[in-house]
Structures are given as structure tokens and as C-alpha cells.
Amino acid sequence: SILGLDLDLSPLDAALRLELLVPVLTLDDEHATNRHPAPAQAVPGQAIPGHPPPLPPPPRSLRMVCAGQAALVPLPYLRRLPDGFLRRWLGDRLPLASQLLGPAADSPLWQLLPTPPTGAAGGPALAAALHAEAHAMAAGGVCTQTQAAAALGIRLMAAQQDVAETGSRAAGQWGYRRSGGDGGGGGGGGAAGGP
């Protein structure tokens, strides 16, 4: 219900599922060594002597897709994790462009998008993404695989802490529910995907 009125939102859900109406962020496909954070950059503002600061990642661009190609990812994960990690974690889905939508990112429209599993339920998918990205970073000569895994682990823990502290809007905390039919739902692990 919206403002106390029960509305049939199935036509809207159908449009979002069938048309290119969902704004998402593209994720960089390259594993250039200067795209990855040095191990010391796991926490912004920290540096290790002898490690040059990494170049900033390329800006993510906006693309429109159908709802089935998108995922609702908590903002702290988008801010803290590199594109390679996100790509491995989300599989064939792209994250909703929450950062670019501003207040519109809080819209109940996006509840039909699956949210990738986190915490205990998402442990295996997150661990697989972390290890695959650490391997790619090590192969690129940025650091050792152990250093990369530690840096990514710190970023992941920081993102999880941010979500826990803020009750992130992308974590599905709207208090709005679609009524009737299959009407979406936003939760679940449909976006975990594989590497």
C-alpha cells in the first residue's frame, strides 16, 4: 500500500522486468595493476611507505537494463569494494546506480530487484569473490595474494559495518511492501551468481 491506498503495481513490475528502465552502474572488466588498491589502501587515508598510491578507478558509467539484469547492492559495498570484486560477487547482474539516483534510490520501485546475500547466508559467495579478486590482484603484480585478500577483507568488513550502523537503504529497510501476486520482494540470494 502507498499512503494507505492499496494499489495494483503489477503493471509497473512487469514494465521494469521487460523494459530497459533500471539504471545500473557498469563495472570495469580490466585487471590493470593500477586499478587495484595497494594493500595499504584497504582503509582510505592509510599508506605504507614504498607503495605508490594507486591511480583512481575509472568512473563507472550509467546503463539501462531490465530488472533481471540488476541487483540492489548496499551503498557501502559500492563505495568500498573494487569493480572486479563486485563483478565476481554479483555474477551476471549489475548494481543499481544508487549513488547517482540520490533520494530516488530510496524508491520502493527497486524492491523487486534481488539483493545479493551478505552475512552468513552470503559467506560462500563473498569468500569466492574475495579469493578470485585477490588472485587477480596478485597476478597483476600489485601485491601478494595474501596481502590482497587481507586488504579486500578489511574493505568488506568496513562495508558490512557501515551497513549495520546505518541500516542502509539498499539493505531493504523501507517498511514498504508490495501486496498480492509475485510483486517482487527485493530479498533473497538470486544475485549471488558465480565467478
Side-chain angles (χ1 to χ4, degrees):
S1 81
I2 298 176
L3 299 173
L5 300 172
D6 285 332
L7 301 175
D8 178 14
L9 298 177
S10 59
L12 180 58
D13 283 351
L16 288 170
R17 291 176 200 280
L18 299 173
E19 302 294 333
L20 302 176
L21 297 173
V22 180
V24 295
L25 297 172
T26 59
L27 299 175
D28 182 28
D29 284 335
E30 295 182 31
H31 287 288
T33 58
N34 62 358
R35 300 269 193 248
H36 291 288
Q41 299 297 319
V43 178
Q46 282 187 337
I48 290 180
H51 283 278
L55 295 176
R60 294 172 175 157
S61 60
L62 186 67
R63 189 169 121 196
M64 303 300 280
V65 299
C66 298
Q69 298 171 300
L72 188 59
V73 178
L75 281 172
Y77 291 88
L78 293 177
R79 290 184 182 130
R80 293 189 179 269
L81 297 171
D83 285 358
F85 181 96
L86 291 169
R87 191 177 53 258
R88 287 176 173 84
W89 181 36
L90 300 175
D92 60 351
R93 295 181 186 272
L94 293 171
L96 179 72
S98 302
Q99 294 167 305
L100 302 176
L101 291 174
D106 288 330
S107 172
L109 285 174
W110 312 125
Q111 275 198 326
L112 77 120
L113 300 177
T115 302
T118 58
L126 288 168
L130 186 142
H131 291 293
E133 184 65 6
H135 178 75
M137 290 170 68
V142 175
C143 53
T144 69
Q145 189 166 347
T146 301
Q147 290 171 323
L152 290 168
I154 290 169
R155 286 175 163 237
L156 181 59
M157 288 187 298
Q160 289 174 328
Q161 183 64 35
D162 288 350
V163 169
E165 288 177 0
T166 63
S168 175
R169 64 181 175 223
Q173 303 296 321
W174 285 292
Y176 166 91
R177 298 287 174 249
R178 293 180 184 268
S179 59
D182 69 348

